[in-house]
Amino acid sequence: MSLSQNVILLNPTNQLTGLYTTIRDKSTSRADFIFYSDRIIRLLVEKGLDLLPVEPHSVTTPTGQAFTGVRFQGHICGVSIMRAGESMEQGLRDCCRSVRIGKILIQRDEETAMPKLFYDKLPEDIADRYVFLLDPMLATGGSALMAVEVLKSRGVPEERIIFLNIVSTPEGIQKFTDKFPRVRIVSGCIDEGLDESNFVRPGLGDFGDRYYCI
Amino acid sequence: MEYVPPWKEPYFIAIAGCSGSGKTSVSSWIIQKLNVPWTIILSMDNFYRELTNEQRALAFESNWDFDSPDAIDFDLAIEVLQSIKKGKKTDVPNYSFTEHKRTDRTTIIYGANIVILEGIYALYDKRVLDLVDLKIFVQEDYDVCMARRLHRDILHRGRELRLSIKQWERFVKPNFIRNIQPTEKEADIIVPNGVENKIALNLLLTHIRLRLKTKSAQHLAELAKLGRNCDQDVRDLVRLPQYSTQLNGIHTILLDAKTSRADFIFYFNRMADILVSLALETVFESSVESKTVTTPTKRQFKGLYLPFDKVCAVTMIRGGECFESALKASIPTLSLGRLLIQRNTKTGEPELHISRLPPIITEGCSELKVLLTDAQILSGAAAVMAVQILVDHGVQQQNIVFIVYSSSEIGIRRLHAAFPEISVVVGRVSPSILSSDYDRCYYGT
C-alpha cells in the first residue's frame, strides 16, 4: 500500500517494536500497558508537533553570544475522542504546557449501528488553532471521520488537523485519505487490517478498557 | 590512549610499630590534616587468619598468639593491596575481635587516592614493601606502649588486667623484639614519640602533599593530552537526534538567556525525553530477543522483547539529575545510581566525591547496559572519570551510553580517545560554549 504523504509513521526501531509487543500481549498487566502505551503516545506527540510551522528567531545566550534558531508559530489545542482518546491527553500536556483540550463523545447508535455525536466541548477559538485529534485506534475510522466533520463545522481547515493514533488499519487510513486528503495522520503502526467483526488484526484489544478498566 | 584516573597507583603509606606505640593516632592525624575525602586507613587486623575452633577457644582465653606473623594472612593482604594499587574496586575482609573470626561483611574500597596501611606487621613482608611509597616506623618506650595497651584492653575491650598482662608478657613483647623491631630498618622515616612529635609529622605531611600535587599535575596533563590528536568530525563520534524544527525550537528556548525557569525546566525535560529515547534505541539495536505474543483477540504477533531489567542509569550530580524524570518515564522499574565528581577550584582537577552505583552494577552482570547522564560536557574531564568508574566496576565499555544535552568538541574527542567503544548521545555539539548554566537554570540555585 502506497501511503499518502499526509500519513506519517514513527520510525520502526527495535525499541518501538518492543513497546508494541508489550501492549499487544494480552497477558500484560494494566500498569505495564499504561507505561508502555504512554511511551508510544509521547513519541507520537513529538512526531506530530514536528509538523507545526516555525519561524526564524534569534536569541542571546547566557554567555552573551547570538544564537539563531526558531520559534514555534501558531496556537494549538488537543481534541480527544472519549474515552480512549483521553489517555493521550497527558502525553500532549507533557509536550505542550497548559494546552487547551476539547472533548468529543461519539458512540454507536444502537438503532442504526452508525456512529452518533453525543457530546462535544471545544475551545471557542478552535478555528484559529492547529488541532491534535486524539484517538489511539483508527479501525474503521467511523468515529474519527465524524470527529473531523465536527471540527470542520467549527471552522477548522483540514490542513490544520493532525490525527494521532497508536494503531491504524489500511481500511481506516484509506477512508480518511479519500474523504479528508489534507488531514495529516500520525500513526505508530499500521496493522494488517480488520477481521469479519471489524476488530483490528492483530490489534491490541479494546484500548480504553485496557488503559482504564481491566 | 589509556586514561589513568587518580585512584590508579594510589599513594601508599605503611605505618608500623609496637602495639600501643600510637600508629593509629599518627594515621588519623595525617588523614585529618590532609582533609581530602579519598584517603583511607587500612588496618592489617583485617587480614587475620581464620581460626579453627580449638584456636578460637584459645583466643577467648587470651592464649592465642595474635602477635605472631603467622597469625596474619599475608597472601590475602597482598592480593587486596595489589587490587587497590591497580585502582580496582576492592573488597576488604572484616575481622571481628569479639567473635575471633572473619565476618560475612566486607568493606568496599574504591577511588582512594591515598591509602594508609597500619599494623604491627605493616613493614614485615617484602611484597608489601614493594607496593608502598612511604614507610614509617613509630617508636615508643615499652612501658608507654604497655600502659596504653592495658588501658585500651581493660577500658575498651572489657578484658581482665591479669590476662592482659599475661598476653603482653607472653606474646606482645617477645614478638615485637623478635619480629617487629627488626622491620624498623625498612622504614624511610622513624618517628619517635608518635603523635606528640609534631615536627616529624609536619615534615611527613609536607612530603605527602607534595607527592599528591605532583600526582594531580600528572593527572591533569594526561587529561589535557587526551583527544588532542583526533581530527575526526565529532559528529561521526556521537549520535545526534534527527534534526527537526521542534528540536531546533527547544534548543533556542534553552539557549535564550531570557527564558523563564518554568519554561527552561519544561523544555529541558522534553529534550531529556528525546535524548533518553534515542539512547534506548541505541541500547536495543543489539540486545533484543524475538518474542511472539497473543493479542486479546487471540491473534499472534511476532515482536521483540526489550530487556529493560538489564538497563540501569547513573546520573552525575547535579547536571545529570536533570534527566531523572525522563529516565523514570522511559524505563520501567529503573534502578538509578549517582556520581558526584567535582572540579577542584584550585587545581582544576576533577575529583570523585560520591559514588553510589545501583546494586545491579556491583553484582557484575556482564550484559548490563548503563545510561550515564550529564547536562553538559565542557573539558570532558569529569565525563572521562565517570566512564572510568563504571569500567572499574566491571561494566563493558560497549554497554555504556553517555547521554548529554550539550557538549564541546574537545570533550567528545577526549571521551572518544579514552573510551572508543562507548556510545555518546548528545543533543547539541558546538565549538564554542553558548551556555554553561543548564543545571543552574534547572534548579534555580
Side-chain angles (χ1 to χ4, degrees), chain A residues 16-25 189-192 201-203, chain B residues 290-295 298-304:
Chain A
L16 191 70
T17 308
L19 296 174
Y20 272 99
T21 308
T22 305
I23 63 166
R24 288 181 191 282
D25 187 347
C189 179
I190 302 178
D191 270 17
E192 291 161 28
R201 286 181 295 136
Chain B
S290 48
K291 183 184 182 188
T292 300
V293 296
T294 309
T295 70
K298 299 190 177 60
R299 305 264 174 192
Q300 301 285 302
F301 178 77
K302 279 192 192 136
L304 294 169

Side-chain angles (χ1 to χ4, degrees), chain A residues 13-15 21 24 26 35-36 39 42 46 49-50 59-63 65 69-70 94-95 97 195 201-202, chain B residues 244 246 249 252 255-257 263 266 270 273 277 280 284 294-297 299 301 303-304 308 329 332 433-434:
Chain A
T13 61
N14 280 352
Q15 179 179 206
T21 308
R24 288 181 191 282
K26 67 170 183 198
F35 189 95
Y36 285 79
R39 280 316 297 160
R42 179 66 174 248
E46 284 288 357
L49 288 170
D50 258 339
V59 297
T60 306
T61 76
T63 53
Q65 298 182 65
V70 295
D94 287 343
C95 291
R97 287 179 75 192
D195 67 11
R201 286 181 295 136
Chain B
S244 74
Q246 284 288 311
T252 312
L255 284 172
D256 188 348
D263 275 344
F266 183 85
R270 232 183 108 185
D273 197 276
S277 180
L280 287 171
F284 293 132
T294 309
T295 70
T297 46
R299 305 264 174 192
F301 178 77
L304 294 169
F308 274 117
I433 296 164
L434 296 174

Side-chain angles (χ1 to χ4, degrees), chain B residues 18-23 25 138-154 156 168 193-196:
Chain B
C18 181
S19 175
S21 62
K23 300 179 295 297
S25 310
V138 183
Q139 212 179 46
E140 192 57 89
D141 287 342
Y142 290 139
D143 46 2
V144 176
C145 292
M146 183 181 176
R148 283 197 194 133
R149 193 175 156 106
L150 295 183
H151 183 266
R152 184 182 63 194
D153 274 0
I154 295 162
H156 301 293
W168 173 270
N193 300 329
V195 80
E196 300 303 319

Side-chain angles (χ1 to χ4, degrees), chain B residues 92-117:
Chain B
V92 180
N94 282 345
Y95 188 85
S96 157
F97 283 100
T98 47
E99 292 171 62
H100 288 303
K101 62 193 285 194
R102 255 177 226 158
T103 63
D104 300 335
R105 294 221 323 268
T106 57
T107 307
I108 295 169
I109 288 187
Y110 178 70
N113 236 349
I114 303 165
V115 178
I116 300 183
L117 177 70

Side-chain angles (χ1 to χ4, degrees), chain B residues 379-395:
Chain B
S379 75
V384 167
M385 187 179 254
V387 174
Q388 181 67 46
I389 292 163
L390 296 181
V391 170
D392 283 346
H393 283 77
V395 182

Side-chain angles (χ1 to χ4, degrees), chain A residues 1 24 63 97 113 158 176 207:
Chain A
M1 166 174 152
R24 288 181 191 282
T63 53
R97 287 179 75 192
E158 260 179 52
F176 243 92
F207 191 93

Side-chain angles (χ1 to χ4, degrees), chain A residues 15-80:
Chain A
Q15 179 179 206
L16 191 70
T17 308
L19 296 174
Y20 272 99
T21 308
T22 305
I23 63 166
R24 288 181 191 282
D25 187 347
K26 67 170 183 198
S27 63
T28 296
S29 70
R30 203 167 68 87
D32 278 345
F33 185 85
I34 292 172
F35 189 95
Y36 285 79
S37 303
D38 284 348
R39 280 316 297 160
I40 299 172
I41 291 165
R42 179 66 174 248
L43 299 172
L44 285 170
V45 170
E46 284 288 357
K47 195 84 178 175
L49 288 170
D50 258 339
L51 304 174
L52 297 176
V54 290
E55 59 186 6
H57 180 55
S58 291
V59 297
T60 306
T61 76
T63 53
Q65 298 182 65
F67 178 83
T68 305
V70 295
R71 173 160 65 186
F72 305 132
Q73 250 188 329
H75 295 292
I76 69 161
C77 73
V79 171
S80 55

